[in-house]
Amino acid sequence: MYDRSVFMRFILLTALFCIAWAGLLPVTAAGAAEQSSLEGRVLDTKGMPVEGAMVYLYAGPDVRRTANFISNRTDREGRYRIPLPPGRYWAVARLKKAEGYGPLMPGDKHSGDPVEVELARGGTVRMDFTVADLQEAIRTRSKERERAFRITGRIVDEQGAPQPGAYAMANRSAVLLGIPDYLSLGADEAGRYTLYLPRGNYYLGAATVFPPGRDSVLKGPVSVDGDRADVDIVKKGP
């Protein structure tokens, strides 16, 4: 003989489970329909795919904090895809040599300033990124070096102390968007740097992180029509 009360409780619990499961079906389907996605490729400065990079998404333009969403690492073709709730995001791509999510180190690659993207409900947006490190950016931005003028000086802080390791940057616009037009190598122990610039007017600044942020302070314009050895730059911020 079986215990009838136990059997009835089993039937009741089974019925409740089925009702709950059935009630969840519309929610799950609706959630899937509302999901959006961002996909594309991460490339280097020569247009070749970058494997192992990740795309970071933020709820605001400040990307010097923990990301709200992070993609998986890109495949051999540089492809990534990340499902996201619909909304507005700011995206950057990074390739880090070391594991983890700390600050960029020498040799790490970055796509520059964050790119704003709006994801509609259930939609897919394609976005490609180009990543570079400081050395690659210098080579890319210095194609006219053979016919450029040599600009030298010192990078110092607001108290006049030299800033070894900082790099100088020159931009044709006072508003810095992405990688500057021209970059130097890191300054020596005395803060001395060397830039090669074609003739023209430039806004100058310096930084120790790459790429420089939107909050970088550029001064100028400085007119370049020959070699100059007296252009000191006061570094403010990172």
Side-chain angles (χ1 to χ4, degrees), residues 12-231:
L12 178 61
L13 288 173
T14 301
L16 289 173
F17 174 80
C18 292
I19 292 171
W21 182 76
L24 285 174
L25 282 176
V27 175
T28 303
E34 292 179 359
Q35 190 77 285
S36 306
S37 65
L38 181 68
E39 63 182 43
R41 302 178 73 199
V42 178
L43 309 170
D44 63 18
T45 55
K46 296 180 180 179
M48 301 300 293
V50 175
E51 183 179 4
M54 292 187 290
V55 175
Y56 297 72
L57 290 110
Y58 301 81
D62 177 14
V63 298
R64 294 180 181 176
R65 60 178 181 81
T66 303
N68 296 92
F69 298 94
I70 304 175
S71 75
N72 291 329
R73 293 189 181 274
T74 52
D75 63 16
R76 289 185 177 182
E77 298 301 318
R79 293 186 294 256
Y80 74 90
R81 184 180 185 279
I82 178 170
L84 295 162
R88 180 179 299 175
Y89 300 95
W90 283 259
V92 296
R94 300 182 183 123
L95 176 65
K96 292 176 61 64
K97 290 185 175 180
E99 295 292 334
Y101 307 101
L104 293 176
M105 302 300 290
D108 291 345
K109 298 182 179 183
H110 193 284
S111 62
D113 276 348
V115 179
E116 187 176 349
V117 56
E118 185 83 28
L119 294 177
R121 181 174 300 172
T124 296
V125 172
R126 180 177 177 82
M127 181 175 291
D128 294 344
F129 296 88
T130 298
V131 294
D133 64 15
L134 178 57
Q135 297 292 337
E136 289 177 326
I138 291 171
R139 290 193 293 269
T140 301
R141 304 290 181 171
S142 299
K143 294 178 180 178
E144 300 181 357
R145 177 169 176 158
E146 293 77 9
R147 59 180 184 272
F149 298 108
R150 188 172 185 265
I151 310 300
T152 60
R154 297 175 70 235
I155 301 174
V156 298
D157 64 15
E158 294 179 274
Q159 287 71 46
Q163 299 294 289
Y167 64 90
M169 52 187 168
N171 207 52
R172 295 187 184 276
S173 170
V175 179
L176 182 59
L177 298 174
I179 298 173
D181 294 328
Y182 297 92
L183 299 153
S184 76
L185 292 172
D188 64 16
E189 289 301 316
R192 289 187 294 265
Y193 74 90
T194 300
L195 265 174
Y196 292 89
L197 302 176
R199 180 179 281 108
N201 295 321
Y202 299 91
Y203 293 85
L204 304 179
T208 53
V209 297
F210 181 81
R214 289 179 180 270
D215 55 350
S216 297
V217 178
L218 300 182
K219 294 292 185 180
V222 173
S223 179
V224 173
D225 56 7
D227 291 347
R228 293 186 58 174
D230 60 349
V231 184

